[in-house]
Amino acid sequence: MKIIKITSHVLSYDLPEPLGYSQQYYHKRTAHLVEVETDEGITGWGECFGAGTIALGNKAIVEKVIQPMVLGMNPMDRDAIWHRIYNLLRDHGQKGMPMQSLSGVDIALWDIAGKVAGLPLHQLIGGKHRDRVQAYGYGMMLRPESVDSLVARFQDEAASIKSMGFKATKMKVGLGPKDDVRLIEAVRKGVGDDYKFMVDANHAYTTSDAFYVGRAMEEFDPYWFEEPVAPEDYDGYRELRQSLKVNISGGEVEFSRWGWRALLEARGLDIAQPEVCALGGISEYLRVLALCHAHFTPVVNHVWGSAVAVATNLHLLAAMPPLPGGLFPWEPMLEFDTTDNKFRDDLLTEPLNIQGQVASNDGFVAIPDGPGLGITPDRDFIRHFDIGNA
């Protein structure tokens, strides 16, 4: 079997209303799918993290840089392929877009391997530790509106996500320390007492501002404080973790085992959040997961993208060993973006129906059991939204 073609599909559509986080507002939903074709007619699908023009840049890396390196290689030799690509790109990008691009290709190779073996991804990895995973509903994103309007909307949206059946929810912050505390208070009011919610700053703060927000949020008892400071600021992470009561989480923009080794050795995380579509794909994710567990750091995968990313993470979460184990072990959760996303809801010929499962299964989602990722993207849908050749 040989790789004969790799295609990037960059999909986009106009959102019904702008969404934002601490760094920017965006008006379009984007997804970057990678299709790897073989001479035996077996095709694998993957996904690259990175939206908008980043996705278009990654398309060029996938098709013009990575594809020539691997044409004619056996797709089953995925570890050899991974190291060939990484070693040839090492001088040009050990983090960021080259790794995002490699991630999509690697995920597609694992999908092919599962189809060749007739096994779902979680069995290729080593088997399921759980038959279902609990999902948390991600919402309360920033919009260009007044603080008072955001406060009211956050409270209502938090209550709505709870009513959908999700057992936890996550909000954005990034307006500034004092206004962000108002948003956090609103979400606690929206969900009531004894309901888990998380706060995501997308590295909005200096360390001193992160301390202000972290201490002020204590009375509202969030479960974790995500990416409070810049991802390069390992000392800031460590100082916050040592001093704040809330769990400190992060890592979605860390890359490869080498980047994760430095982050974990800094002892700045209570909860690790690797992004499989960015850090180097499934091959590298498994090495990063082993590093996290070697440092006794529990993992909740970062998930942002299409149904391809969601399906990939369902397999990975099912196959994640319990840490530390026991009769009632700590369990990971599936991150699920509840905002408008056609690429999550309508991409597949048989949709995952995450929200329907959450509503009917007490907040839990089943693991796909078909070969590879266990999904089939709808090619007509892809053609309709593909802007890659525009």
Side-chain angles (χ1 to χ4, degrees):
M1 182 183 293
K2 295 179 181 180
I3 296 171
I4 59 171
K5 188 177 182 181
I6 301 179
T7 307
S8 279
H9 303 280
V10 178
L11 314 182
S12 181
Y13 71 90
D14 293 330
L15 285 165
E17 53 192 347
L19 297 174
Y21 60 107
S22 67
Q23 305 302 313
Q24 65 176 328
Y25 298 111
Y26 57 97
H27 300 266
K28 294 179 181 290
R29 172 75 68 179
T30 310
H32 179 185
L33 309 183
V34 175
E35 178 184 6
V36 177
E37 299 177 58
T38 70
D39 62 346
E40 295 187 12
I42 297 175
T43 296
W45 292 91
E47 182 162 357
C48 303
F49 186 71
T53 54
I54 300 299
L56 293 173
N58 283 342
K59 173 182 174 66
I61 297 173
V62 169
E63 294 184 345
K64 304 299 184 183
V65 180
I66 293 177
Q67 180 178 220
M69 295 178 182
V70 300
L71 285 179
M73 294 186 70
N74 188 331
M76 300 297 285
D77 295 336
R78 55 191 177 275
D79 191 63
I81 291 171
W82 194 98
H83 283 90
R84 173 176 172 77
I85 295 169
Y86 183 82
N87 289 340
L88 290 174
L89 289 178
R90 175 182 262 130
D91 292 350
H92 312 287
Q94 299 153 25
K95 296 177 181 286
M97 293 168 65
M99 294 300 288
Q100 292 171 349
S101 301
L102 172 54
S103 299
V105 173
D106 181 79
I107 293 168
L109 295 179
W110 279 87
D111 189 29
I112 289 171
K115 291 171 179 175
V116 170
L119 297 173
L121 173 61
H122 58 77
Q123 279 195 300
L124 286 183
I125 293 171
K128 290 188 291 186
H129 291 273
R130 51 196 65 81
D131 293 318
R132 59 182 191 164
V133 295
Q134 197 170 73
Y136 73 83
Y138 183 4
M140 288 79 74
M141 298 191 72
L142 304 181
R143 293 180 192 156
E145 56 193 31
S146 70
V147 177
D148 289 342
S149 177
L150 284 168
V151 167
R153 181 170 62 80
F154 273 37
Q155 182 170 337
D156 292 343
E157 191 173 340
S160 176
I161 291 172
K162 181 180 178 181
S163 72
M164 294 176 190
F166 291 99
K167 298 302 183 183
T169 188
K170 188 169 77 174
M171 63 178 292
K172 291 294 191 186
V173 291
L175 301 179
K178 292 184 178 180
D179 288 337
D180 288 341
V181 174
R182 290 184 62 194
L183 295 179
I184 293 166
E185 180 181 14
V187 170
R188 173 51 78 197
K189 288 180 179 177
V191 299
D193 297 332
D194 301 321
Y195 184 86
K196 189 179 292 183
F197 81 100
M198 294 78 83
V199 178
D200 186 359
N202 292 107
H203 49 83
Y205 304 126
T206 63
T207 305
S208 60
D209 283 347
F211 269 113
Y212 176 92
V213 176
R215 287 169 177 146
M217 72 171 66
E218 287 179 0
E219 65 175 297
F220 308 114
D221 192 29
Y223 181 52
W224 74 55
F225 189 10
E226 182 171 335
E227 272 204 309
V229 294
E232 302 95 334
D233 187 7
Y234 297 160
D235 290 338
Y237 270 97
R238 183 176 62 252
E239 292 163 9
L240 291 163
R241 186 187 181 205
Q242 288 173 342
S243 301
L244 295 179
K245 293 180 181 179
V246 65
N247 290 313
I248 301 298
S249 69
E252 72 184 70
V253 292
E254 191 55 84
F255 302 88
S256 83
R257 74 202 84 159
W258 298 285
W260 271 92
R261 180 184 65 179
L263 177 59
L264 291 164
E265 287 177 350
R267 303 299 291 170
L269 295 179
D270 293 292
I271 296 168
Q273 295 172 295
E275 168 55 73
V276 67
C277 297
L279 62 78
I282 295 168
S283 296
E284 196 68 356
Y285 167 90
L286 295 174
R287 292 185 272 261
V288 167
L289 176 64
L291 273 175
C292 291
H293 282 192
H295 285 81
F296 298 97
T297 305
V299 172
V300 177
N301 295 351
H302 180 267
V303 185
W304 181 265
S306 79
V308 175
V310 174
T312 301
N313 278 280
L314 282 171
H315 287 282
L316 297 177
L317 292 168
M320 184 186 297
L323 180 79
L327 188 60
F328 303 103
W330 185 95
E331 293 285 359
M333 297 181 288
L334 172 72
E335 178 175 12
F336 184 80
D337 164 29
T338 63
T339 62
D340 188 274
N341 190 341
K342 299 181 189 301
F343 305 141
R344 177 198 61 223
D345 298 336
D346 303 327
L347 171 67
L348 304 181
T349 57
E350 295 184 18
L352 295 170
N353 188 27
I354 300 296
Q355 287 170 289
Q357 292 190 63
V358 165
S360 60
N361 296 327
D362 194 31
F364 284 89
V365 180
I367 312 302
D369 58 7
L373 298 181
I375 57 172
T376 303
D378 183 329
R379 291 188 179 276
D380 288 336
F381 180 92
I382 291 172
R383 279 190 287 269
H384 180 74
F385 289 100
D386 197 333
I387 63 166
N389 296 316

